[in-house]
């Protein structure tokens, strides 16, 4: 409900890993033929680091820059932070509309607690929304990272990483 998307799970390792999985999902399902993925320079540093490593392994080209420069690139997807690592909140609608116009996916890293007050990314048009579940007091697992939540549109359910719990009707 907080993400504004139809489907969610919480079986991924952490927020940074979820970001890398969102990038992989974007490549699998986007209709764009581009091999370029854009990362907002104001994402959390640990997230950027993991996405860089995974992009190299997948053979994706990566651009890390200011979101104001997103429109200069033809991409298969973009990683946006809402609110960003410095706490800034920006309207993502124009960026997401631009991505959809080029058949790319909008992946949004977010803080669940902030979504109690902010417009859900799904209502802004985001295709994938993820973040850490720790903000609602989920305890650390024996010193390890906090589990990530990962939400997406129903049409991408077969491409979502991790496990989805519930009743399956095929």
């Amino acid at each position: 409900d907080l993400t504004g998307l139809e489907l969610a799970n919480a079986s991924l390792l952490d927020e940074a890993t979820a970001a890398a999985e969102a990038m992989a999902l974007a490549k699998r399902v986007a209709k764009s033929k581009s091999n370029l993925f854009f990362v907002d320079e104001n994402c959390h540093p640990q997230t950027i680091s993991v996405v860089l490593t995974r992009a190299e392994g997948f053979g994706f080209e990566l651009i890390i820059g200011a979101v104001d420069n997103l429109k200069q690139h033809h991409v298969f997807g973009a990683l946006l932070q809402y609110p960003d690592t410095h706490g800034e909140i920006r309207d993502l609608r124009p960026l997401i509309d631009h991505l959809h116009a080029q058949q790319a996916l909008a992946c949004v890293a977010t803080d669940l607690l902030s979504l109690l007050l902010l417009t859900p990314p799904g209502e802004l048009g985001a295709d994938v929304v993820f973040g850490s579940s720790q903000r609602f007091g989920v305890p650390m697992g024996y010193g390890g990272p906090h589990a990530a939540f990962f939400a997406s549109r129903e049409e991408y359910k077969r491409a979502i990483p991790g496990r989805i719990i519930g009743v399956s009707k095929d």
Side-chain angles (χ1 to χ4, degrees):
D1 291 344
L2 293 174
T3 66
L5 292 171
E6 299 92 13
L7 195 59
N9 71 23
S11 64
L12 295 173
L13 180 62
D14 59 12
E15 183 172 337
T17 304
E21 292 292 346
M23 174 180 63
L25 181 146
K27 183 62 176 169
R28 285 192 301 271
V29 302
K31 292 184 169 97
S32 170
K33 300 300 179 200
S34 175
N35 196 44
L36 186 62
F37 189 75
F38 183 90
V39 178
D40 176 3
E41 67 186 3
N42 289 319
C43 286
H44 300 318
Q46 65 273 20
T47 299
I48 294 173
S49 180
V50 172
V51 170
L52 270 168
T53 301
R54 291 287 289 277
E56 184 179 326
F58 286 135
F60 301 154
E61 295 175 58
L62 209 65
I63 290 184
I64 302 168
V67 291
D68 295 333
N69 297 330
L70 173 60
K71 294 182 180 183
Q72 298 173 11
H73 306 285
H74 185 74
V75 298
F76 68 83
L79 172 56
L80 309 170
Q81 187 84 38
Y82 176 72
D84 73 16
T85 198
H86 305 290
E88 183 178 338
I89 301 163
R90 75 168 42 232
D91 182 6
L92 299 180
R93 283 181 198 99
L95 299 168
I96 293 171
D97 290 345
H98 171 74
L99 289 166
H100 290 164
Q102 57 178 304
Q103 298 182 311
L105 266 67
C107 306
V108 178
T110 193
D111 177 323
L112 269 180
L113 195 56
S114 74
L115 297 182
L116 292 171
L117 298 174
L118 300 176
T119 303
E123 289 181 22
L124 300 175
D127 301 292
V128 176
V129 178
F130 60 89
S132 174
S133 61
Q134 190 281 327
R135 294 291 281 160
F136 284 143
V138 177
M140 293 281 274
Y142 300 101
H146 297 288
F149 68 91
F150 192 98
S152 184
R153 300 196 176 285
E154 180 80 22
E155 64 194 271
Y156 304 137
K157 67 183 169 191
R158 296 289 182 192
I160 291 177
R163 294 183 176 96
I164 298 174
I165 306 302
V167 177
S168 176
K169 296 179 184 179
D170 284 332

